[in-house]
Amino acid sequence: MAASLKTQPPVVKHYTVSFPQPRTLLVTINREKQRNSLPSDAHWEALELFTWFDHEPSLLVAVITGAGNKAFCAGQDLQEQNSKQAQHISPAQKAVYMHPPTGFAGLSQRKGLKPVLAAVNGFALGGGFEICLNCDIVVASPTAEFGLPEAGVGLFAAAGGLPRLARVCGMQIATELALTCRRLPAQEALSLRLINRISKTPESLLEETLAIAKRITEFSPDAILVTRQGLRQAWETSSIQHATSRVREAYVDQVLKGENFKIGVEAFAKKVQPQWAESKI
């Protein structure tokens, strides 16, 4: 798969990058010994990686997961946090310690063009949960747990998780979870619509998530990108009319004049499988 890339991915040290099937990027948080907690520079690495993903024409969908079977991501590296308190931090260091504009792991505040799926293989705590709250589809292992433990260490969830949690499951439930630091098992997270589904087994998690990604890649990339933008606009604004208008104004001409619309209509008429072109959107 890597041979079909038009550009090469950035070099990263906190993630493993692979291409398990056509048009799909798999990003694995590879800090298993630290329960996949992330130091500050990892967020900037991820910003660069997912920016590259959005601009790489051969890719359409990304999946993020954690190494091992215990943790998807347990949040910020608190050992690094503790060491920062004990030393003088220069302005340059402070800039690195801040999250990038796209948030924790480059994802919790990401808008982007292309969908990102989460395969949650264990604990998704703090920033790890905030990643999930902004992913497009979330599949969880039966052993997964979710939570915002920040208040227990004197912090708060500052990477976009609080307002997203309130939007998904309501103020009272969100308040309970954030103020009590209670962990949610996968089944309860499903009942609160915080995840899409639970995998049949822990071992089948990635396979099942990649199957969803494969299904997405079977459709017009133009249609997938614009459909996602329509959903995201609805997520970010309170006005349905405003969200609809913004997406129509920005994309309707590009879709109707694009190569993939012609391919799709012709394939439908001939009753054949469309062979989609790379998106120009």
Side-chain angles (χ1 to χ4, degrees):
M1 168 61 199
S4 68
L5 296 174
K6 301 296 189 294
T7 60
Q8 291 304 304
V11 176
V12 291
K13 63 180 179 180
H14 299 299
Y15 308 92
T16 300
V17 175
S18 59
F19 308 93
Q21 60 194 30
R23 308 179 86 174
T24 303
L25 167 68
L26 175 61
V27 179
T28 304
I29 304 170
N30 65 9
R31 290 171 54 83
E32 185 177 359
K33 291 182 180 179
Q34 294 87 2
R35 294 173 57 179
N36 292 324
S37 61
L38 293 177
S40 298
D41 63 325
H43 309 303
W44 295 90
E45 277 191 356
L47 167 63
E48 188 178 1
L49 178 59
F50 285 103
T51 300
W52 168 80
F53 160 67
D54 268 332
H55 290 90
E56 169 51 47
S58 69
L59 297 173
L60 182 60
V61 183
V63 174
I64 184 166
T65 193
N69 55 17
K70 291 185 178 180
F72 169 73
C73 177
Q76 186 72 25
D77 186 336
L78 292 182
Q79 291 183 347
E80 181 196 56
Q81 288 281 106
N82 184 58
S83 68
K84 283 192 295 182
Q85 302 303 319
Q87 62 181 351
H88 173 71
I89 303 297
S90 70
Q93 289 173 315
K94 191 172 184 178
V96 172
Y97 288 142
M98 298 284 287
H99 288 162
T102 52
F104 190 95
L107 289 173
S108 70
Q109 291 279 60
R110 173 185 176 268
K111 293 180 181 179
L113 272 176
K114 300 176 182 179
V116 177
L117 283 56
V120 184
N121 52 306
F123 297 124
L125 304 176
F129 191 15
E130 292 183 281
I131 293 172
C132 299
L133 287 166
N134 196 37
C135 278
D136 298 283
I137 294 174
V138 181
V139 183
S141 164
T143 61
E145 291 186 11
F146 302 83
L148 296 175
E150 282 86 348
V153 294
L155 295 171
F156 70 100
L162 295 176
R164 288 188 168 86
L165 187 63
R167 283 209 173 191
V168 172
C169 56
M171 178 60 75
Q172 284 73 24
I173 297 296
T175 299
E176 177 204 343
L177 296 176
L179 297 190
T180 67
C181 304
R182 182 168 72 84
R183 293 188 184 182
L184 287 172
Q187 191 62 53
E188 187 176 359
L190 181 63
S191 71
L192 293 173
R193 298 184 178 181
L194 290 165
I195 63 176
N196 293 75
R197 63 181 68 178
I198 300 171
S199 64
K200 295 175 183 177
T201 66
E203 293 75 22
S204 67
L205 169 69
L206 190 55
E207 178 186 354
E208 292 182 45
T209 308
L210 288 171
I212 298 173
K214 183 176 184 297
R215 174 69 172 167
I216 293 171
T217 63
E218 292 173 357
F219 301 104
S220 161
D222 294 353
I224 293 297
L225 298 182
V226 176
T227 297
R228 180 181 181 274
Q229 288 303 304
L231 294 167
R232 287 274 154 172
Q233 284 293 332
W235 175 256
E236 297 290 346
T237 182
S238 59
S239 168
I240 293 174
Q241 186 60 47
H242 180 63
T244 302
S245 298
R246 286 194 65 177
V247 173
R248 284 180 59 87
E249 290 169 7
Y251 295 108
V252 68
D253 284 345
Q254 293 183 65
V255 171
L256 294 179
K257 294 177 181 177
E259 185 178 0
N260 281 314
F261 177 63
K262 297 175 185 176
I263 291 171
V265 170
E266 184 175 341
F268 177 81
K270 294 181 177 179
K271 295 182 172 55
V272 298
Q273 188 69 25
Q275 300 299 312
W276 305 112
E278 292 174 352
S279 179
K280 299 296 191 295
I281 291 176

